[in-house]
């Protein structure tokens, strides 16, 4: 009988995909360390290796599966290898056939069952738990934090009911459900006691928060949640991601400027500038609505950072459709765009359409779009040079090539800009709010120096 105790064992988790998976990895890490296991930096040495996979595009799936293939090399007796996340949920036991070294597979809704899954897999039987979307209508949980930091992700809902025609997420995350406001508030109060000062509220469509809770006569709304969280004075920054234009209401726009902690930043995925394409994507809004929403938001938030998601090469996208997306880019002057080439996903509505934009055309459109998006961001970011910006320090980052400065820290402004700055002193600046004077700006980040008057604490 193999030793099932985890107290002398190590674990390694590799995360692919979005913030949902990042938050789920934190949860898994806490569950494993509560059982006595220690984190390891190296999958070759770890006793338990988990891949937390993403299904959103073909490339993402390949990344997780090729990593799984690599793990075969150093599989030794007693080592457990598992795959979870959206890949575990969708691929299930099929993964066992092609991967004899794989011990367990688990889905997105059973993370809290990880100890039991490990027990079964450790007892010698290959084990799979997935496809079991939680059937209860309400969603209740407590945020788990493994890597202590001043910033935390807090799931306020799970699942998605939108069924955009290109998207696999409703199939990997199940139906939309929200946590009650009172529960989220006490969760965040607890996080504040742990030193958290910035919270990013997570959900596929946070602004449809409350709607999935069909049992309630009058659902709680996202603006109500923001206002309730704002009463926690020690919470300095509040962000949310992702949101959908369909529920981006005037009431939510009014929260900018009236909810103290709400950062002047918005990620509002638009996907395309063409109404014909938006219609086939089943996004259920017109591009004119998006223009109007952003106009109103900018009135409340003139200095705000605006980011979005774009898909190029969706089936039937013509050259003219793509030019409308390029026009949208010029008109919106986004601070950052996450742009992707369309990738058909099995079982989605769009997968039934002919994937008729050739790969070279998708690629050419993507490159042209990305190049222009970076130029725009670069131009916009120059306005920060010479200004003093408040940064929440996230930690040390890699030094720039050929730079004599070895200790570079990175943080974020309220509007979501990454700021890098050198510091060779003895303090760990992680988690501090500091003023940084901006010296240079590229399309992706700002670089500066700590303001002479900044308070770094004793011994700095
Ligand atoms: N819930 C968010 C929303 O409504 O926009 C985002 C969800 S998805 C995880 C993140 C982004 O991936 C999407 O906004 C979309 O741009 C992109 N995406 C999703 N499915 C895709 C596909 N089949 N091919 C290419 N990009 C895709
Ligand atoms: Fe996917 Fe659309 Fe749901 Fe976002 S809103 S997760 S793009 S189905
Ligand atoms: Fe990927 Fe699942 Fe997120 S498919 S983008 S990890 S919800």
């Amino acid at each position: 009988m193999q030793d099932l105790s985890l107290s002398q064992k190590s674990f390694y988790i590799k995360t692919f995909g979005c913030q949902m998976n990042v938050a789920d990895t934190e949860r898994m890490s806490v569950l494993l360390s509560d059982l006595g296991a220690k984190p390891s930096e190296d999958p070759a040495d770890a006793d338990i290796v988990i891949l937390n996979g993403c299904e959103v595009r073909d490339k993402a799936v390949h990344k997780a599966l090729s990593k799984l293939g690599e793990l075969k090399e150093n599989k030794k007796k007693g080592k457990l290898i598992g795959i979870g996340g959206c890949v575990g949920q969708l691929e299930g036991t099929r993964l066992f056939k092609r991967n004899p070294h794989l011990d367990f597979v688990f889905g997105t809704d059973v993370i809290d069952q990880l100890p039991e899954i490990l027990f079964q897999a450790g007892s010698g039987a290959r084990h799979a738990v997935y496809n079991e979307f939680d059937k209860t209508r309400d969603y209740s949980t407590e945020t788990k934090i493994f890597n202590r930091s001043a910033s935390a992700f807090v799931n306020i809902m799970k699942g998605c009911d939108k069924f955009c025609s290109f998207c696999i997420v409703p199939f990997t995350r199940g139906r939309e459900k929200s946590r009650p406001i009172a529960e989220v508030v006490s969760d965040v109060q607890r996080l504040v006691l742990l030193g958290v000062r910035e919270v990013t509220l997570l959900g596929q469509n946070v602004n449809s928060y409350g709607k999935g809770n069909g049992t309630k006569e009058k659902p709680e709304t996202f603006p109500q949640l923001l206002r309730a969280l704002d009463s926690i004075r020690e919470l300095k920054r509040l962000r949310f991601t992702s949101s959908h234009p369909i529920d981006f209401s005037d009431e939510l726009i009014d929260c900018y400027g009236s909810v103290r902690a709400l950062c002047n930043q918005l990620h509002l995925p638009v996907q395309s500038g063409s109404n014909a394409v938006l219609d086939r994507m089943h996004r259920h809004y017109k591009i004119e609505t998006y223009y109007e929403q952003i106009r109103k938001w900018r009135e409340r938030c003139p200095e705000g950072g605006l980011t979005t998601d774009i898909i190029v090469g969706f089936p039937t996208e013509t050259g003219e459709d793509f030019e409308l997306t390029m026009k949208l880019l010029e008109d919106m002057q986004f601070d950052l765009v996450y742009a992707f080439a369309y990738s058909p996903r099995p079982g989605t509505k769009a997968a039934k359409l002919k994937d008729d934009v050739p790969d070279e055309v998708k690629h050419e459109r993507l490159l042209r779009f990305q190049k222009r998006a970076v130029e725009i961001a670069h131009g916009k970011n120059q306005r920060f040079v010479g200004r003093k910006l408040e940064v929440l320090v996230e930690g040390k980052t890699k030094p720039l090539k050929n730079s004599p400065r070895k200790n570079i820290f990175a943080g974020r402004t309220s509007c979501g800009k990454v700021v890098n700055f050198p510091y060779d002193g003895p303090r760990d600046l992680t988690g501090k709010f500091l003023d940084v004077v901006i010296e240079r700006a590229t399309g992706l980040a700002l670089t500066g120096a700590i303001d002479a008057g900044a308070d770094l604490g004793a011994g700095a």
Side-chain angles (χ1 to χ4, degrees), residues 56-57 166 204 242 269 271 283 309 311 340-343 345:
V56 77
R57 283 168 292 277
F166 52 81
Q204 291 303 340
S242 208
Q271 312 300 355
R283 292 288 288 181
D309 293 348
I311 296 178
F340 312 101
Y342 169 71
S343 162
R345 305 309 298 127

Side-chain angles (χ1 to χ4, degrees), residues 15-22 24 52-57 60 85-87 108 167-170 172-173 204 345:
T15 315
F16 302 84
C18 68
Q19 290 97 334
M20 302 277 162
N21 268 10
V22 174
D24 288 348
N52 191 8
C54 169
E55 279 279 346
V56 77
R57 283 168 292 277
C86 294
V87 172
T108 48
C167 185
I168 198 77
V169 173
T172 63
R173 296 268 167 183
Q204 291 303 340
R345 305 309 298 127

